Amino acid sequence: MATSVTNFVVLLAFATFSSNVVFGSLLVKYHVHISNDFSNGNKLTIHCKSRDDDLGWHVLQISEEWSWTFRENIYGTTLFWCNLIGENHSASVKVFYMYDTEFLKMCNYKECFWSVRDDGIYLKNDWTASWSLWYDWEH
């Protein structure tokens, strides 16, 4: 009888832990910020989406920022990408993806800051407050 109770307690503890890991991560809010840091005053046109959500088109003036908040999908495969278009530049880039530990660490596992500049697209390392060139322009 004691073995049955012990097995039940272990099973209950495992089930509780597993559900907290799965459902707990679904409760975390993630944030993505994109700022227009072109030096020449050009507008930045942005179109972002995931497999499930189209966030529409946004036009940022110099020094403006656009951001959104979301939760991870149940499969842990959340991915957002954006088409970024400047006067002389364009690129299609991934701005949030759950499957890359290095990327998530840069975002402090919750908040990603992107800076769109003349020479490329930068991601802020939230731990060191430094910026790293993450993507080059395609055109």
Side-chain angles (χ1 to χ4, degrees), residues 34 44-48 56-60 66 82-85:
I34 301 173
L44 172 64
T45 302
I46 303 171
H47 183 212
C48 299
W57 290 89
H58 303 272
V59 178
L60 301 182
W66 176 66
C82 298
N83 293 313
L84 305 173
I85 304 165

Side-chain angles (χ1 to χ4, degrees), residues 10-26 74:
V10 169
L11 182 60
L12 182 61
F14 178 75
T16 302
F17 173 77
S18 297
S19 66
N20 285 339
V21 168
V22 171
F23 295 112
S25 67
L26 294 177
I74 195 164

Side-chain angles (χ1 to χ4, degrees), residues 16-61:
T16 302
F17 173 77
S18 297
S19 66
N20 285 339
V21 168
V22 171
F23 295 112
S25 67
L26 294 177
L27 299 178
V28 173
K29 285 187 177 180
Y30 297 96
H31 308 272
V32 173
H33 306 260
I34 301 173
S35 62
N36 177 355
D37 294 319
F38 283 132
S39 65
N40 55 10
N42 284 339
K43 294 177 186 176
L44 172 64
T45 302
I46 303 171
H47 183 212
C48 299
K49 56 186 170 179
S50 70
R51 189 179 74 175
D52 300 320
D53 300 300
D54 186 332
L55 304 178
W57 290 89
H58 303 272
V59 178
L60 301 182
Q61 303 298 325

